[in-house]
Amino acid sequence: MTLDESCSKGLTQEEVESRQQRGLVNGTDEIKTKSIGQIILNNLVTPFNILNVALAALIVMVGSFKNLLFMGVIICNTLIGTIQEIRAKKTIDRLKLIAAPKAGVMRGGVKQELPVEDLVLDDILILTSGNQVCADCVVVDGECEVNESLITGEQDPILKKAGDHLLSGSFIASGSCCARVEHIGAENYASKITKNAKYLKKPNSEIMNWINKIIKYIGFSIIPIGTLLFYKQYFLSGEPFQRAVVGTVAALIGMIPEGLVLLTSVVLAVSVMRLAYHKALVQELYSIETLARVDTLCLDKTGTITEGIMQVDAILSLSDRTKVDIENAIAALINTLNDENPTANAIRGLGLATPDWEYTHKVAFSSARKWSGATFRSEGSYLLGAGEFILKDDFSKISALVKEHSALGQRVLLLAHSPDPIQGNELPATIEPVALILLSDKIRKNAKRTLSFFADQGVDIKVISGDNPVTVANIAKKAGLKNADKVIDASLLLTKDDLKDAAEKYTVFGRVTPQQKLDLVKVLKEQGHTVAMTGDGVNDVLALKESDCSIAMASGSDASKTVSQVVLLDSDFASMPRIVNEGRRSINNLQRSASLFLVKAIFSAIIAVLFIFVNCGYPFQPIQFTLINAVTIGIPSFILALEPNRERIQGSFMINVMRKSLPGALTMSTNILFLVLIACSLKFSHEQISTMAVIVTGYTGLLTLFKVCIPFNIKHAVLFWLMTGIFVVAMLFFKPFFSLVNLTLPMLLILAPLLLAATSLMALYYHMIEKVIMKKAK
């Protein structure tokens, strides 16, 4: 079959079925999101949930059902995480890899619209302007210009003729052609680039890492502590089996910061919903934290700093023609040619009035000729394109001016005139220059403000692009990027050592290959940076996957959207400051709230170990811990977590949390130890000791909450002493309160000094811990 025949007829039904039987079908080789079943399973079966279910089973076994209240927190945590992840999956699944979900195919002499995955080897594609090439193929008929920016990063359209190859992921900028599919599935060029991105990457989240470590440590310690505590209470102290089990479960439940996991999920989920309102889809909860900690941001020029379209900067006259004459010639030429390439669209955007000129001949732009033109009946011929191709030997007259503007990163086109008509596709003999049209990539309106925001926040910006380094540097400079003059051609970086040196010295990288983008991100991470990467093309996928936090544009390829943790649905880079600020609000507030939860966990661990050796029953029940936590930790922490907070994140998450939680935990432990020693020696009942323990613990929890909200000083200590004194006196004279909480006068005499001492102990512990931390920092 000849090429013309294959283009007009395509494959027969028998040929298609034969290829399908041999597995020569395009299929879908895209990077898939997790299924709903996988999401539910991953959120349901966790060490955290397994641990709590086991403790709940013990409570059910002894019939103390009121103490199952803590399971409500576990269920809420699981539901929130699952719902949020499913919601993100459904949204991203609606973003398709191929702009048109079906491909135009010629089969059996009839043009058909087929799903991309149904293409087979040797299918004949019908491609026209605006179509995306969905499989590697070879042009068999026709001529077109192809935009390969999503593959190579280069913006310039490339002319393709019969016999030339078209790469999957590229777009037809102008023209039309028939092309035969030569690669399918994983053999496609775009698939080969993205195949190394198909791996699971562990989120770079300090909060998640520490929460997992805490649960891990608790998981290892909970069995021996629980076993020893139960043995001591049931076998040595002779307590009833039910009380021994409930007391042991209460101790272990207290050690688990279940509310912290729930709070983290809720706060991040709220942030995700806020960002979704502003057209930013967060696919991974913890990426909000990572982005808030980023100190290096790698940008691709197109889609971030620029809008991906051209604009006319100026029209420079080279003759004695008036401005109106020049504009009329430009408008008539653009209207006559009716091209849809970026250059023509930029000139059309000037809104010039089109004169009523009648053309007799026109020549469309070609990458091979580098010019286009038209002959008009009364006005002669006008040409538009590259000066050196139009003027040839006479280009030297304007070459200095062209080089001057080219060095500024502008694209320079020459408008020329000839009194002679254009013959075929040949230039006229006599040509005179009329004007230079200066074009450049259109910079986003908010690019300067966005880059300024990151500069003020101490975030280092690296612009990495496949374009000419001079062009990229000048665009970055126009956008207001600091140190935009520190530019290098990445094609000169031949070794990894060269790349390491360049990563520290340079801000703008041009002629960067997809592999170099990946290597640059790796080098920056090795140098201790937390790296975020933005991109929209297949050429960005490897670097996006490797970065600590990846941000994709919705207008880009599906491969980049699927591997990214954040997708800007409006493809507007100006959303980035909002995302960073939202991350800071979440993480700064989480640090404050987390300290409240760790107070309980540390305190519970300490007293659980102490009560193995103290000859007294464990004074708490699970329901008491749940209620104390709701008042002093749960409700306040959720309010704190939603406060506005745009402060830069400083220091380690765990150190910041421990410096606020340790004083409260140590104060609670000290008070409970003294309370139990005194109360047991005075032969108080288990119920009386439990009542006093709840009051002391609740009071200290409120004291810790106050410290987390407001910096603690001597004035606040005095204020708490006065408030405590008033509270004690009120209990003394308000007799009905005694019966309400089962208090007696001897119990009050023990509580009063303990409550007064709590404030002093808190201040003392804070001073000691701050001193140790500051000494270690030095």
Side-chain angles (χ1 to χ4, degrees), residues 266-267 270 274 585 589 593 637-645:
V266 169
V267 171
V270 169
R274 284 181 173 180
R585 183 197 64 76
N589 289 337
S593 300
S637 65
F638 278 93
I639 296 172
L640 284 175
L642 299 176
E643 277 191 333
N645 193 325

Side-chain angles (χ1 to χ4, degrees), residues 21 32 201 248 264 332 358 375 412 443 557 631 678 766:
Q21 290 172 1
K32 295 184 179 295
K201 183 180 73 173
T248 301
T264 303
E358 183 182 353
T375 299
V412 184
I443 297 174
S557 69
V631 176
I678 294 170
Y766 266 111

